[in-house]
Every structure is written in structure tokens, then in C-alpha cells.
Amino acid sequence: MKVFITGSAGFIGGSIATGLVQRGHQVTGLVRSAEQAEEMLALGITPIVGTLDDSALLIEQAAKADAVINAASSDHRGAVEALIAGLKGSNKVFLHTSGSSIVGDASGGKASDTIYYEGQLPEPTADKAARVAIDNLVLDAAKEGVNSAVICNTLIYGHSLGVKRDSVQLPRLLKQARKSDVVRHVGPGLNIWSNVHIEDVVALYALALEKNQPGTFYFVESGEASFVDMSTAIAKALKLAVTQSWPLKDAEAEWGYEMANYGLGSNSRVRGKNARELLGWVPKRTSVTDWILNEMV
């Protein structure tokens, strides 16, 4: 299958692109520079230099491909509109990458018992309304002859299959710990995130290319853990002292509003049946704390 992937030089997109090449697919990847293009070639990926603002290029590449995966940005509406325009009426697969911060509660590190299920999502917060609107745009494209899906990843751990090693959330804690010799979490760190290993994420995307049903929303999760438990595991792996609570304002100064409030300071607890029941997805890695202790550093 000829697959066009945006974000092929990033953590998620690069892992997917590399994994699909290993499975025998012909992959074309959107990159921003000649240097990234060279990295793609070394992995067996055909590079296309451009940006998400190059609508004509995105339409052209989408029309040429057998399937399209958007892994560059969950929030760039113009790029999604262009990709849908290139696919409309073709019944080709379009997999759009979202993230489960769409159900994040910005709790400041406090715990929550609330769990969300596919088809039972809450009204988005003002911070996440635009992202959810893009997700809905993708799902609605099924009515216009696009075999579309939203793949809503949770906290992803593991090392990249592609050129970029680090994911988004846990490396922030690791970097801060190495800088200050203490692992800090937002508030009490009792907030819980569902999570999944990158290799299992890649396997899900590969299955969705073959088996997706138009207009499907997938939560991608294989376990969950609190940030105090993940932080404690990082401290043990680095042989540091016990973790410390960090006031939200200090966390925002270090990581920024979005990461402190949603990526590291919220609860995002979800359950996904669709990948398991519709695609036959069976995740192989289910313990983020085991990975932190044995593989992260």
C-alpha cells in the first residue's frame, strides 16, 4: 500500500512510518527540511519537503496515495481540510491522530474516578474545543466518501522506531529530574493517565489501514498509572530521592500552560474497545512503570 504520512520526522509519525516500511508498505513522508529528508531516505521513506500550510501539496499527495495518516498535528485544521479534500469520494483510508487530553480535567494533580468511553465523550473544555471540532470533521468525512478514523492516543511511552527518540510527557519529567536531581510532579501527582507503548500504537495504525470502518473513533490504551507512580519509578531508575510535589505555577513556568495543566497535571482515563473488537488489536506491553524501571534511561 502507498501511504502518505505527515509528521514522519516526529516521534509518533516517524515510528508509524518506519513500522509500515518494515511491514512492506511504500511510505511517503512530509518533512520540513532537506536534513530531515536525508534521515527519511535512510529509513526507506520517500521524503516530500513541505509544511502543513502547503494545502495544494497536501491535496496532491493525498490524491496520489492509497491511504493517508496525519501524525504531524492534532490541531492544524487547514491541513486536515486539505487532506480530506484530496481524499473525498475515493473511499481511501484517512487516519487522523488525536490525543486523550481532549478529556483532560486540568485537576492540578488531584485524582479523579471518572473514566471515558468511546461514544460517550464529555463536552470539551474551552482549551480543547478546537481539537475536538477537528476530530469531528474527520469523522464526518465518512459521509463524503472517505474511510476516516480518529486515533486518539493516550500517554505514549517507549523509544521511537524512527529518527526522534523521545515522546512528549515522560521525557519532560526525566529532563527536569536530570537538571535538578529530583523528580517533580504537578501537585500531589495523584492524577491518572491511560497509556500505551509506541510499538503497540504502530501495530494499531497498521491494522486500521487494513480494517478500519468509516467514521470510527479509537481510544488507544493498554493500562493506566498515576503520575506519582511514574515519577517514583523515574526516581528509582535514576537512583534519586523520593519525588516532590510542585505547585502548578512552578510547573507552568517550567513546562508551559498546556503541558503543565493537561499533559502532566490532569486526569485522562479512557477505555477503548473499538481497536480490540473491530481491528483485533492485542497490545503486548501493558506496564509503563516496568518500562520506566527497565528501559527508559
Side-chain angles (χ1 to χ4, degrees), residues 73-133:
S73 172
S74 301
D75 302 306
H76 197 298
R77 188 181 181 96
V80 171
E81 290 174 339
L83 293 170
I84 290 174
L87 295 169
K88 194 173 296 185
S90 68
N91 294 313
K92 295 176 183 176
V93 173
F94 175 39
L95 307 179
H96 171 69
T97 303
S98 187
S100 70
S101 65
I102 60 170
V103 299
D105 59 5
S107 69
K110 297 177 182 177
S112 172
D113 294 328
T114 303
I115 298 174
Y116 296 103
Y117 299 85
E118 295 153 337
Q120 300 177 2
L121 302 186
E123 285 298 313
T125 64
D127 290 327
K128 296 298 174 181
R131 176 176 290 188
V132 172

Side-chain angles (χ1 to χ4, degrees), residues 132-148:
V132 172
I134 293 171
D135 291 350
N136 290 334
L137 178 68
V138 172
L139 298 176
D140 287 343
K143 302 171 185 175
E144 300 182 273
V146 181
N147 189 356
S148 61

Side-chain angles (χ1 to χ4, degrees), residues 93-261:
V93 173
F94 175 39
L95 307 179
H96 171 69
T97 303
S98 187
S100 70
S101 65
I102 60 170
V103 299
D105 59 5
S107 69
K110 297 177 182 177
S112 172
D113 294 328
T114 303
I115 298 174
Y116 296 103
Y117 299 85
E118 295 153 337
Q120 300 177 2
L121 302 186
E123 285 298 313
T125 64
D127 290 327
K128 296 298 174 181
R131 176 176 290 188
V132 172
I134 293 171
D135 291 350
N136 290 334
L137 178 68
V138 172
L139 298 176
D140 287 343
K143 302 171 185 175
E144 300 182 273
V146 181
N147 189 356
S148 61
V150 170
I151 298 185
C152 191
N153 296 303
T154 53
L155 182 152
I156 302 177
Y157 62 97
H159 298 309
S160 174
L161 280 67
V163 297
K164 188 174 181 179
R165 182 176 185 269
D166 290 336
S167 58
V168 175
Q169 288 155 291
L170 294 183
R172 295 292 204 287
L173 299 180
L174 182 63
K175 181 179 178 181
Q176 198 280 325
R178 284 175 164 160
K179 182 170 67 175
S180 60
D181 286 332
V182 62
V183 185
R184 296 188 172 102
H185 43 72
V186 177
L190 298 176
N191 54 306
I192 296 170
W193 263 69
S194 297
N195 53 66
V196 63
H197 193 279
I198 186 61
E199 293 172 3
D200 289 321
V201 171
V202 171
L204 188 150
Y205 277 80
L207 286 168
L209 286 178
E210 305 292 340
K211 299 181 178 181
N212 182 60
Q213 298 179 16
T216 303
F217 180 98
Y218 302 93
F219 273 134
V220 188
E221 52 77 29
S222 63
E224 65 177 17
S226 70
F227 270 89
V228 70
D229 286 343
M230 291 185 284
S231 297
T232 298
I234 292 173
K236 289 180 180 178
L238 295 178
K239 297 180 173 56
L240 297 176
V242 294
T243 63
Q244 290 184 6
S245 174
W246 222 9
L248 182 58
K249 63 180 179 60
D250 294 333
E252 287 180 347
E254 174 73 16
W255 294 313
Y257 174 85
E258 168 74 18
M259 183 55 57
N261 282 274

